[in-house]
PDB file of all heavy atoms in Angstrom:
ATOM      1  N   PRO F  89     -24.941 -17.379 -13.763  1.00  0.00           N
ATOM      2  CA  PRO F  89     -25.957 -18.048 -14.728  1.00  0.00           C
ATOM      3  C   PRO F  89     -26.455 -17.075 -15.620  1.00  0.00           C
ATOM      4  O   PRO F  89     -26.815 -17.398 -16.895  1.00  0.00           O
ATOM      5  CB  PRO F  89     -27.031 -18.377 -13.793  1.00  0.00           C
ATOM      6  CG  PRO F  89     -26.909 -17.640 -12.526  1.00  0.00           C
ATOM      7  CD  PRO F  89     -25.371 -17.283 -12.381  1.00  0.00           C
ATOM      8  N   GLY F  90     -26.397 -15.831 -15.532  1.00  0.00           N
ATOM      9  CA  GLY F  90     -26.935 -14.801 -16.472  1.00  0.00           C
ATOM     10  C   GLY F  90     -26.068 -14.314 -17.552  1.00  0.00           C
ATOM     11  O   GLY F  90     -26.302 -13.832 -18.418  1.00  0.00           O
ATOM     12  N   ASP F  91     -24.720 -14.508 -17.220  1.00  0.00           N
ATOM     13  CA  ASP F  91     -23.696 -13.965 -18.103  1.00  0.00           C
ATOM     14  C   ASP F  91     -22.419 -14.959 -17.951  1.00  0.00           C
ATOM     15  O   ASP F  91     -21.636 -14.878 -17.038  1.00  0.00           O
ATOM     16  CB  ASP F  91     -23.308 -12.538 -17.748  1.00  0.00           C
ATOM     17  CG  ASP F  91     -22.299 -11.951 -18.739  1.00  0.00           C
ATOM     18  OD1 ASP F  91     -21.652 -12.738 -19.413  1.00  0.00           O
ATOM     19  OD2 ASP F  91     -22.224 -10.786 -18.824  1.00  0.00           O
ATOM     20  N   LYS F  92     -22.130 -15.760 -18.961  1.00  0.00           N
ATOM     21  CA  LYS F  92     -21.183 -16.766 -18.748  1.00  0.00           C
ATOM     22  C   LYS F  92     -19.750 -16.276 -18.787  1.00  0.00           C
ATOM     23  O   LYS F  92     -18.804 -16.872 -18.489  1.00  0.00           O
ATOM     24  CB  LYS F  92     -21.326 -17.773 -20.002  1.00  0.00           C
ATOM     25  CG  LYS F  92     -22.462 -18.673 -19.975  1.00  0.00           C
ATOM     26  CD  LYS F  92     -22.547 -19.610 -21.092  1.00  0.00           C
ATOM     27  CE  LYS F  92     -23.897 -20.174 -21.331  1.00  0.00           C
ATOM     28  NZ  LYS F  92     -24.163 -20.686 -22.766  1.00  0.00           N
ATOM     29  N   ARG F  93     -19.665 -15.004 -19.135  1.00  0.00           N
ATOM     30  CA  ARG F  93     -18.242 -14.480 -18.868  1.00  0.00           C
ATOM     31  C   ARG F  93     -17.779 -14.260 -17.573  1.00  0.00           C
ATOM     32  O   ARG F  93     -16.611 -14.210 -17.165  1.00  0.00           O
ATOM     33  CB  ARG F  93     -18.257 -12.997 -19.770  1.00  0.00           C
ATOM     34  CG  ARG F  93     -18.348 -13.158 -21.193  1.00  0.00           C
ATOM     35  CD  ARG F  93     -18.550 -11.778 -21.764  1.00  0.00           C
ATOM     36  NE  ARG F  93     -19.638 -10.911 -21.068  1.00  0.00           N
ATOM     37  CZ  ARG F  93     -19.989  -9.813 -21.254  1.00  0.00           C
ATOM     38  NH1 ARG F  93     -19.234  -9.067 -22.238  1.00  0.00           N
ATOM     39  NH2 ARG F  93     -21.001  -9.193 -20.744  1.00  0.00           N
ATOM     40  N   ILE F  94     -18.910 -14.020 -16.759  1.00  0.00           N
ATOM     41  CA  ILE F  94     -18.588 -13.505 -15.344  1.00  0.00           C
ATOM     42  C   ILE F  94     -18.218 -14.717 -14.415  1.00  0.00           C
ATOM     43  O   ILE F  94     -18.990 -15.594 -14.387  1.00  0.00           O
ATOM     44  CB  ILE F  94     -19.700 -12.661 -14.870  1.00  0.00           C
ATOM     45  CG1 ILE F  94     -19.758 -11.370 -15.682  1.00  0.00           C
ATOM     46  CG2 ILE F  94     -19.486 -12.258 -13.347  1.00  0.00           C
ATOM     47  CD1 ILE F  94     -20.893 -10.451 -15.349  1.00  0.00           C
ATOM     48  N   ASN F  95     -17.294 -14.659 -13.630  1.00  0.00           N
ATOM     49  CA  ASN F  95     -17.004 -15.457 -12.524  1.00  0.00           C
ATOM     50  C   ASN F  95     -17.370 -14.933 -11.097  1.00  0.00           C
ATOM     51  O   ASN F  95     -16.989 -13.765 -10.745  1.00  0.00           O
ATOM     52  CB  ASN F  95     -15.540 -15.918 -12.311  1.00  0.00           C
ATOM     53  CG  ASN F  95     -15.200 -16.809 -13.494  1.00  0.00           C
ATOM     54  OD1 ASN F  95     -16.007 -17.657 -13.902  1.00  0.00           O
ATOM     55  ND2 ASN F  95     -14.011 -16.555 -14.023  1.00  0.00           N
ATOM     56  N   LEU F  96     -18.359 -15.446 -10.416  1.00  0.00           N
ATOM     57  CA  LEU F  96     -18.741 -14.997  -9.098  1.00  0.00           C
ATOM     58  C   LEU F  96     -17.790 -15.577  -7.970  1.00  0.00           C
ATOM     59  O   LEU F  96     -17.491 -16.793  -8.117  1.00  0.00           O
ATOM     60  CB  LEU F  96     -20.200 -15.284  -8.888  1.00  0.00           C
ATOM     61  CG  LEU F  96     -21.194 -14.769  -9.872  1.00  0.00           C
ATOM     62  CD1 LEU F  96     -22.574 -15.070  -9.540  1.00  0.00           C
ATOM     63  CD2 LEU F  96     -20.962 -13.141  -9.936  1.00  0.00           C
ATOM     64  N   LEU F  97     -17.352 -14.825  -7.068  1.00  0.00           N
ATOM     65  CA  LEU F  97     -16.443 -15.299  -6.098  1.00  0.00           C
ATOM     66  C   LEU F  97     -17.158 -15.477  -4.778  1.00  0.00           C
ATOM     67  O   LEU F  97     -18.057 -14.762  -4.446  1.00  0.00           O
ATOM     68  CB  LEU F  97     -15.309 -14.303  -5.943  1.00  0.00           C
ATOM     69  CG  LEU F  97     -14.555 -14.059  -7.187  1.00  0.00           C
ATOM     70  CD1 LEU F  97     -13.515 -12.803  -6.888  1.00  0.00           C
ATOM     71  CD2 LEU F  97     -13.828 -15.252  -7.677  1.00  0.00           C
ATOM     72  N   LYS F  98     -16.649 -16.387  -3.939  1.00  0.00           N
ATOM     73  CA  LYS F  98     -17.160 -16.713  -2.609  1.00  0.00           C
ATOM     74  C   LYS F  98     -16.104 -17.260  -1.872  1.00  0.00           C
ATOM     75  O   LYS F  98     -15.113 -18.016  -2.423  1.00  0.00           O
ATOM     76  CB  LYS F  98     -18.367 -17.737  -2.800  1.00  0.00           C
ATOM     77  CG  LYS F  98     -19.602 -17.269  -2.077  1.00  0.00           C
ATOM     78  CD  LYS F  98     -20.741 -18.453  -2.142  1.00  0.00           C
ATOM     79  CE  LYS F  98     -20.762 -19.173  -1.025  1.00  0.00           C
ATOM     80  NZ  LYS F  98     -21.937 -20.128  -0.896  1.00  0.00           N
ATOM     81  N   LEU F  99     -16.095 -16.987  -0.594  1.00  0.00           N
ATOM     82  CA  LEU F  99     -15.222 -17.692   0.435  1.00  0.00           C
ATOM     83  C   LEU F  99     -15.573 -19.074   0.744  1.00  0.00           C
ATOM     84  O   LEU F  99     -16.870 -19.309   0.926  1.00  0.00           O
ATOM     85  CB  LEU F  99     -14.956 -16.856   1.562  1.00  0.00           C
ATOM     86  CG  LEU F  99     -14.463 -15.568   1.533  1.00  0.00           C
ATOM     87  CD1 LEU F  99     -14.191 -14.929   2.920  1.00  0.00           C
ATOM     88  CD2 LEU F  99     -12.996 -15.384   0.771  1.00  0.00           C
ATOM     89  N   THR F 100     -14.662 -20.040   0.780  1.00  0.00           N
ATOM     90  CA  THR F 100     -15.039 -21.342   1.245  1.00  0.00           C
ATOM     91  C   THR F 100     -15.146 -21.166   2.867  1.00  0.00           C
ATOM     92  O   THR F 100     -14.740 -20.184   3.362  1.00  0.00           O
ATOM     93  CB  THR F 100     -13.945 -22.326   0.921  1.00  0.00           C
ATOM     94  OG1 THR F 100     -12.613 -21.820   1.555  1.00  0.00           O
ATOM     95  CG2 THR F 100     -13.677 -22.443  -0.611  1.00  0.00           C
ATOM     96  N   PRO F 101     -15.659 -22.207   3.445  1.00  0.00           N
ATOM     97  CA  PRO F 101     -15.621 -22.195   4.949  1.00  0.00           C
ATOM     98  C   PRO F 101     -14.153 -21.949   5.489  1.00  0.00           C
ATOM     99  O   PRO F 101     -14.036 -21.131   6.435  1.00  0.00           O
ATOM    100  CB  PRO F 101     -16.088 -23.591   5.412  1.00  0.00           C
ATOM    101  CG  PRO F 101     -16.933 -23.975   4.178  1.00  0.00           C
ATOM    102  CD  PRO F 101     -16.330 -23.274   2.980  1.00  0.00           C
ATOM    103  N   GLU F 102     -13.139 -22.517   4.870  1.00  0.00           N
ATOM    104  CA  GLU F 102     -11.786 -22.238   5.298  1.00  0.00           C
ATOM    105  C   GLU F 102     -11.435 -20.935   5.047  1.00  0.00           C
ATOM    106  O   GLU F 102     -10.695 -20.285   5.909  1.00  0.00           O
ATOM    107  CB  GLU F 102     -10.830 -23.120   4.504  1.00  0.00           C
ATOM    108  CG  GLU F 102     -10.795 -24.642   4.857  1.00  0.00           C
ATOM    109  CD  GLU F 102     -11.306 -25.503   3.598  1.00  0.00           C
ATOM    110  OE1 GLU F 102     -12.464 -25.188   3.239  1.00  0.00           O
ATOM    111  OE2 GLU F 102     -10.682 -26.425   3.228  1.00  0.00           O
ATOM    112  N   GLY F 103     -11.735 -20.374   3.943  1.00  0.00           N
ATOM    113  CA  GLY F 103     -11.601 -18.957   3.647  1.00  0.00           C
ATOM    114  C   GLY F 103     -12.050 -18.002   4.729  1.00  0.00           C
ATOM    115  O   GLY F 103     -11.442 -17.069   5.254  1.00  0.00           O
TER     116      GLY F 103
END
Side-chain angles (χ1 to χ4, degrees):
Chain F
D91 184 340
K92 289 179 198 163
R93 291 170 306 177
I94 297 176
N95 287 322
L96 302 177
L97 301 172
K98 230 179 101 174
L99 296 186
T100 63
E102 287 111 307

